[in-house]
Amino acid sequence: MSTSLVRKLRSTALYVVCIAIAIITGFPFVFLIINSFKSMNDYLTNIWLLPKKIFLGNYITVLKPDFLRYFLNSVIVSTISVLLIVLVSSMISYTFARMKYRGKNILYFAVIAGMMIPVHTTLIPTFTLLSNIGLSDSLVGLLGPYVSYNIPIAVFILTQFFKEIPTEIEEAGIIDGCGIIKIFTNIIMPLSGPALSTIVVYTFLNIWNEFINANVLITSTTKKTLPLGIREFYGMQSVNIPSILTAILVGSLPVIILYFCAQEKVVNGLTQGAVKG
């Protein structure tokens, strides 16, 4: 068998595997879209096929003030949390990557050790602390846990990325009269787009889908986030499955849109440093 034929067979097999994976991973989303346009009767008699008639009642049911309030609460909490994570973790990571001081390695490992702490073990202390300072049952109270839980992985990614930025670039900035703040804001951060995009997408996804802390800390209906709202919606619409699927679809759109907008930089950020030469 010729070498060219072997390469073609390998390429064909690779394409077949990729197409199969794409179909398997994409099918749930396609299933949500198809069934969001079905009535309950159409869903029960025609689950796997296209709708016999386009039905918009599910979107009318979902897009009501209560659900939109849950959606807005999640947008506010997720956006502010991600901004704080990027700001804090980037400054911490820069000190780990570039500065020399006593105990740096110990402090670095102490920070990234937070990735090994199960979130569920912190629920009671977090609830007690926020209750004592008057921040329980508030969106502000969610920011602390969300930011602290995601800082370790953000610091780990950014520290490794900052170390791979050539020091000559910073030295050139120093020669031009830049201080450490200008070097950080005008040189390091613009060069760190791939890593920052990875952190934004990863942490936004974690916070957007977070349920346990929100369920423990939030009791008021007006302050619930989207995962809590979808659970409540499921309770109200437990028989109307297409409406539930529509709620899940609408709740998934922000994360999907964010990923598609930043996917190229995310891939670059994840693979940065995989090959050195």
Side-chain angles (χ1 to χ4, degrees):
M1 188 178 294
S2 64
T3 304
S4 60
L5 181 58
V6 172
R7 290 179 179 176
K8 289 181 181 179
L9 290 176
R10 287 180 179 176
S11 299
T12 303
L14 181 60
Y15 279 118
V16 170
V17 172
C18 291
I19 292 172
I21 294 174
I23 292 174
I24 293 172
T25 56
F27 176 76
F29 186 68
V30 175
F31 180 82
L32 288 177
I33 295 175
I34 292 175
N35 287 284
S36 67
F37 292 103
K38 293 180 182 179
S39 63
M40 186 60 185
N41 291 333
D42 192 8
Y43 174 81
L44 293 176
T45 59
N46 185 29
I47 295 179
W48 304 108
L49 301 178
L50 295 173
K52 297 177 182 178
K53 183 179 180 181
I54 299 297
F55 179 72
L56 299 178
N58 298 320
Y59 289 93
I60 296 174
T61 302
V62 169
L63 299 178
K64 288 184 177 180
D66 287 343
F67 187 85
L68 294 178
R69 185 184 299 113
Y70 303 146
F71 191 93
L72 180 60
N73 289 342
S74 282
V75 170
I76 293 173
V77 171
S78 300
T79 303
I80 296 177
S81 296
V82 169
L83 291 176
L84 290 174
I85 291 167
V86 170
L87 177 63
V88 174
S89 62
S90 61
M91 291 189 291
I92 295 174
S93 300
Y94 185 69
T95 65
F96 289 148
R98 286 292 190 260
M99 298 181 181
K100 295 181 180 181
Y101 51 89
R102 184 176 299 175
K104 182 181 73 171
N105 292 334
I106 296 176
L107 184 58
Y108 172 72
F109 286 113
V111 172
I112 65 173
M115 293 188 292
M116 297 182 289
I117 300 176
V119 174
H120 303 81
T121 62
T122 65
L123 288 176
I124 295 177
T126 299
F127 177 78
T128 303
L129 174 62
L130 293 178
S131 297
N132 291 337
I133 62 178
L135 289 179
S136 61
D137 192 26
S138 68
L139 297 181
V140 176
L142 290 176
L143 297 179
Y146 287 170
V147 172
S148 60
Y149 295 156
N150 287 281
I151 278 181
I153 183 64
V155 169
F156 178 75
I157 294 174
L158 281 176
T159 300
Q160 302 307 313
F161 192 93
F162 288 164
K163 286 181 178 179
E164 295 177 1
I165 296 177
T167 56
E168 290 80 6
I169 298 177
E170 297 173 64
E171 292 171 357
I174 294 174
I175 293 175
D176 290 338
C178 294
I180 188 171
I181 296 178
K182 281 190 175 182
I183 290 175
F184 177 74
T185 57
N186 297 342
I187 298 176
I188 299 299
M189 292 301 284
L191 292 175
S192 305
L196 294 175
S197 298
T198 302
I199 292 170
V200 168
V201 173
Y202 179 82
T203 56
F204 187 90
L205 177 62
N206 283 345
I207 296 169
W208 185 265
N209 293 329
E210 203 284 324
F211 178 83
I212 298 298
N213 280 278
N215 189 42
V216 171
L217 299 176
I218 301 296
T219 56
S220 301
T221 302
T222 57
K223 298 175 183 177
K224 289 183 177 181
T225 56
L226 190 59
L228 299 182
I230 290 178
R231 186 195 63 168
E232 185 174 297
F233 187 86
Y234 181 84
M236 295 185 297
Q237 301 287 338
S238 57
V239 179
N240 194 341
I241 299 176
S243 293
I244 298 171
L245 296 177
T246 304
I248 296 173
L249 174 63
V250 173
S252 303
L253 289 178
V255 176
I256 294 173
I257 294 172
L258 177 63
Y259 177 77
F260 275 108
C261 291
Q263 62 176 333
E264 184 177 350
K265 289 187 176 181
V266 169
V267 172
N268 291 336
L270 291 174
T271 58
Q272 184 72 27
V275 179
K276 293 184 179 180

